[in-house]
Amino acid sequence: MSQPVLQSDLIRSVKARRPGRAARLGVSPFDPDETPLARTRRARRMARELADIHSDAHCELDFTTPLELLVATVLSAQTTDRMVNRVSPALFARYPDAVAYAGADRGELEEVLKPTGFFRAKANSVIGLGQTLVERFAGEVPGNLPDLVTLPGVGRKTANVVLGNAFEVPGLTVDTHFGRLVRRFGWTAEEDPVKVETEVAELVPKKEWTIFSHRVIFHGRRVCHAKKPACGACGLAAWCPSFGIGPLDPEVAGKLVKSPAASDTE
């Protein structure tokens, strides 16, 4: 069972907190004067708190093989994990391996993928995936980043999802939630996902990269929303320079916190 987003004592401590410097001044939460050691210590404290807050964090795409996860991750672009999980059972049953995707009838495949949106482009990617895997990798999903990013529709983010969750190779998944939060945390000022990944990799132990990514994404979906973060109901408030950009009153902020069932619609 997952733990509550906040413990009552943390809620009380939030009441007494004043907005952080970045929130007060309307400036970037990244402080160039913060020493690398201080930033690392603060980041690791926040990472430990995230582990308690989101003890239920996990990959929300359903899969049993690396190929299934690869395809599901490609399909998750511009849609929700929940929608992909609705489509994937029929998809995986009809196309059990790379050979099946490579030889798929485009019309039939598009019909299966239609609920995920952008189904024509996704069908192209999935067919291309199957063909490339058959032609270059004997039908098997490669377990390394350089090969994965050569596949149709596969970028660094998708590759890290597959490596971390299907091959247990640590990787940071820099999606929109992840990038937004680590910038709000003041861990980086970078916008480019690769640069974000590089800087955050220096702050979090490598062995934790995969699960840490899930925790940050859970926090972004449930608590630290893009437009109205639930600052007054956030267990990271004591270490976050962006504290105060959302409602501070715990009761008001608490109403913004999404349940697990609601959060996976983002």
Side-chain angles (χ1 to χ4, degrees):
M1 180 180 294
S2 63
Q3 296 181 4
V5 172
L6 271 184
Q7 302 294 332
S8 59
D9 58 338
L10 285 175
I11 294 177
R12 287 193 294 272
S13 71
V14 166
K15 289 183 178 180
R17 285 220 57 217
R18 299 174 64 184
R21 173 178 176 275
R24 293 198 310 272
L25 302 180
V27 299
S28 169
F30 181 81
D31 182 0
D33 294 328
E34 184 178 30
T35 67
L37 179 58
R39 184 173 297 118
T40 298
R41 286 175 172 172
R42 183 170 62 85
R44 295 194 175 186
R45 179 60 188 268
M46 295 175 78
R48 289 195 297 271
E49 292 297 324
L50 281 171
D52 289 336
I53 294 168
H54 302 294
S55 60
D56 59 334
H58 61 280
C59 179
E60 295 190 287
L61 290 169
D62 296 337
F63 71 98
T64 59
T65 67
L67 178 61
E68 289 183 355
L69 180 58
L70 177 60
V71 170
T73 307
V74 169
L75 298 182
S76 68
Q78 304 299 318
T79 191
T80 65
D81 291 348
R82 178 183 291 185
M83 179 56 70
V84 175
N85 290 339
R86 289 178 181 173
V87 169
S88 60
L91 178 71
F92 297 160
R94 184 174 297 188
Y95 307 100
D97 51 35
V99 173
Y101 285 116
D105 177 272
R106 186 175 301 275
E108 292 180 0
L109 180 58
E110 288 181 355
E111 191 63 29
V112 176
L113 301 182
K114 188 173 291 186
T116 69
F118 302 95
F119 58 91
R120 292 187 178 88
K122 290 179 181 180
N124 286 337
S125 293
V126 171
I127 291 173
L129 272 177
Q131 293 172 342
T132 305
L133 289 173
V134 170
E135 292 169 3
R136 294 181 49 210
F137 301 103
E140 299 296 323
V141 176
N144 64 82
L145 186 66
D147 284 337
L148 280 170
V149 296
T150 67
L151 300 173
V154 179
R156 192 175 182 92
K157 180 186 75 172
T158 296
N160 277 331
V161 170
V162 174
L163 289 174
N165 296 281
F167 291 102
E168 298 186 355
V169 176
L172 291 169
T173 303
V174 184
D175 70 353
T176 54
H177 294 292
F178 188 99
R180 180 179 76 251
L181 265 64
V182 294
R183 283 187 289 273
R184 281 182 176 174
F185 294 166
W187 293 8
T188 180
E190 298 291 347
E191 296 284 343
D192 179 78
V194 176
K195 292 181 179 179
V196 170
E197 181 184 339
T198 299
E199 293 203 354
V200 174
E202 295 294 321
L203 301 174
V204 180
K206 184 175 182 178
K207 64 181 181 180
E208 298 177 11
W209 286 354
T210 300
I211 187 61
F212 172 75
S213 298
H214 292 313
R215 291 165 182 161
V216 172
I217 292 168
F218 269 46
H219 200 66
R221 288 175 171 174
R222 297 179 181 181
V223 182
C224 195
H225 312 301
K227 295 182 179 179
K228 202 171 185 180
C231 289
C234 179
L236 303 179
W239 307 279
C240 182
S242 296
F243 174 73
I245 63 174
L248 301 181
D249 182 270
E251 292 186 8
V252 174
K255 294 178 181 178
L256 298 175
V257 176
K258 292 188 176 182
S259 67
S263 67
D264 69 359
T265 61
E266 293 189 1

